[in-house]
Amino acid sequence: MSPWSCEREKTLGIVGESGCGKTTLGKCLVRLLIPSAGQLLLNIDGMPRDLLSLNRAESFHTRRRIQMVFQDPYAAFNPMKTIISAFDEPLKVHGFGNAAHRKEIVAQMLERVNLKPDYMYRYPHEFSGGQRQRICIARSLSLNPR
């Protein structure tokens, strides 16, 4: 295994000094940015695949597997939307059942990060920075990324 690979169900930490490209790399992996050159190789179903060469359907399927926890919990949420709305959009896009099922997922994820399920009806400004960060983590995990 190369030092740049990550086994399934393992976590790969990316460290470096400020401005070295950690966030840019993460944004490229989740396709929020498109690199101008190179490859983004990911082990997909046992095969290394270049994320940049995937067709639209493959890219959509792969995005669910990769989630990003944004480093600024104050900028990670739309202040005009409740927490349940922030969770609901990606769950709906990826076909996670009806509204009642998605609501249950949100409640479970909030509990996993030691927040009350009824917090889903609050707005981002009603939380501390630490609580927002936990909500960011819960939202990233709600799609069951690999």
Side-chain angles (χ1 to χ4, degrees), residues 57-125:
E58 291 170 323
S59 182
F60 177 81
H61 179 70
T62 301
R63 283 184 188 168
R64 179 177 163 199
R65 297 174 173 195
I66 305 168
Q67 293 297 306
M68 185 168 174
V69 178
F70 293 95
Q71 61 189 1
D72 181 359
Y74 290 94
F77 296 102
N78 180 337
M80 304 301 286
K81 291 188 175 186
T82 60
I83 297 306
I84 192 169
S85 296
F87 274 80
D88 195 52
E89 186 176 353
L91 291 170
K92 189 185 296 184
V93 165
H94 288 282
F96 276 74
N98 62 24
H101 179 67
R102 294 190 305 270
K103 180 180 169 183
E104 181 60 33
I105 291 171
V106 175
Q108 290 172 358
M109 296 311 298
L110 290 175
E111 286 181 325
R112 285 183 69 184
V113 295
N114 294 321
L115 293 172
K116 295 178 183 175
D118 63 335
Y119 285 5
M120 73 176 81
Y121 301 108
R122 294 185 181 183
Y123 289 87
H125 72 272

Side-chain angles (χ1 to χ4, degrees), residues 4-5 16 27 31 41 44 48 62 70 73 91 94 101 107 111-112 114 127 130-132 146:
W4 297 104
S5 64
K27 287 181 177 182
R31 303 291 298 267
L41 296 177
I44 301 174
T62 301
F70 293 95
L91 291 170
H94 288 282
H101 179 67
E111 286 181 325
R112 285 183 69 184
N114 294 321
F127 297 97
Q131 288 173 318
R132 286 186 199 198
R146 292 191 181 173

Side-chain angles (χ1 to χ4, degrees), residues 2 4 14 17 19 23 32 37 48 54 66 70 73 79 87 90 97 109 121 124 127 134 136-137 143 145:
S2 84
W4 297 104
I14 302 171
E17 60 189 60
T23 299
L32 291 175
L54 299 178
I66 305 168
F70 293 95
F87 274 80
M109 296 311 298
Y121 301 108
F127 297 97
R134 287 188 280 155
C136 286
I137 292 166
L143 292 176

